[in-house]
């Protein structure tokens, strides 16, 4: 099984890979997202260290139970060979109705088949008011004409 585009990445193919990842995460479907990773993929997400499909799937299931109304934008920061660096922001609400914008950076390393073998994510949460939200598209992939992070001043 391969997950094009494959490494080594160009700016064009890395940008495509980033948008594909954003769309998958905006599905909020752990099965869809997990399929983009190798069976033994290693993650650091904040202070959580995960390895393999089962741990990743369980993590994502819990994440989207806690982080409601989740909407994510990712942008390419840099790429070289089989590695891509991404910056991102996502908005979500908790069970009490409080809103947050989470900012972060990810470093990705890919296997030759185009699946991600390693993901290292650093993330910070900022409480925001509902009126400060910037991500208002219907649940699911971000529309092609919706502004990205740079356009939104993020």
């Amino acid at each position: 099984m391969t997950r094009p585009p494959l490494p080594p990445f160009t700016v064009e193919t890395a940008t495509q890979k980033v948008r594909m990842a954003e769309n998958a995460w905006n599905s909020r479907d752990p099965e869809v997202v997990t399929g983009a990773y190798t069976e033994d993929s290693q993650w650091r997400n904040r202070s959580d260290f995960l390895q393999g499909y089962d741990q990743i799937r369980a993590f994502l299931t819990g994440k989207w139970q806690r982080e409601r109304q989740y909407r994510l934008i990712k942008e390419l920061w840099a790429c070289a060979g089989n590695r891509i660096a991404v910056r991102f922001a996502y908005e979500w609400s908790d069970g009490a109705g409080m809103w947050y914008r989470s900012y972060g950076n990810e470093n990705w390393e890919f296997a030759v088949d185009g699946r991600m073998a390693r993901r290292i994510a650093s993330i910070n949460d900022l409480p925001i008011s509902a009126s400060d939200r910037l991500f208002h598209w219907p649940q699911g992939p971000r529309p092609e004409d919706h502004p990205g992070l740079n356009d939104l001043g993020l």
Side-chain angles (χ1 to χ4, degrees):
M1 166 164 98
T2 62
R3 299 282 295 210
L6 306 176
F9 297 108
T10 64
V11 170
E12 180 181 321
T13 60
T15 299
Q16 182 183 3
K17 197 74 153 177
V18 170
R19 187 57 187 247
M20 291 169 65
E22 175 188 309
N23 289 344
W25 280 69
N26 276 325
S27 77
R28 297 183 311 150
D29 183 336
E31 295 300 323
V32 168
V33 175
T34 303
Y37 298 91
T38 62
E39 292 86 351
D40 60 350
S41 185
Q42 297 177 350
W43 280 28
R44 181 184 58 76
N45 192 90
R46 301 176 190 251
S47 60
D48 292 317
F49 293 82
L50 312 170
Q51 184 166 359
Y53 282 164
D54 291 341
Q55 289 182 10
I56 292 168
R57 188 180 301 107
F59 172 84
L60 292 171
T61 299
K63 172 185 180 63
W64 288 316
Q65 287 172 350
R66 291 183 308 279
E67 297 178 359
R68 301 170 184 185
Q69 299 295 317
Y70 178 95
R71 287 170 180 80
L72 165 73
I73 299 176
K74 291 181 182 281
E75 284 189 358
L76 176 67
W77 187 254
C79 65
N82 70 334
R83 293 181 174 165
I84 297 176
V86 174
R87 68 186 200 95
F88 64 87
Y90 63 91
E91 293 179 349
W92 56 282
S93 66
D94 64 15
M98 299 294 300
W99 281 94
Y100 299 87
R101 186 175 302 124
S102 299
Y103 298 93
N105 300 293
E106 293 177 294
N107 296 314
W108 299 345
E109 184 175 69
F110 291 86
V112 296
D113 67 3
R115 293 183 299 157
M116 197 179 303
R118 187 172 4 166
R119 174 182 174 266
I120 301 167
S122 299
I123 306 168
N124 299 298
D125 301 320
L126 175 69
I128 61 172
S129 66
S131 63
D132 289 332
R133 292 180 54 221
L134 299 173
F135 304 172
H136 294 284
W137 65 87
Q139 202 70 61
R142 175 172 55 107
E144 290 296 324
D145 62 348
H146 191 283
L149 296 177
N150 285 331
D151 298 325
L152 292 169
L154 300 175

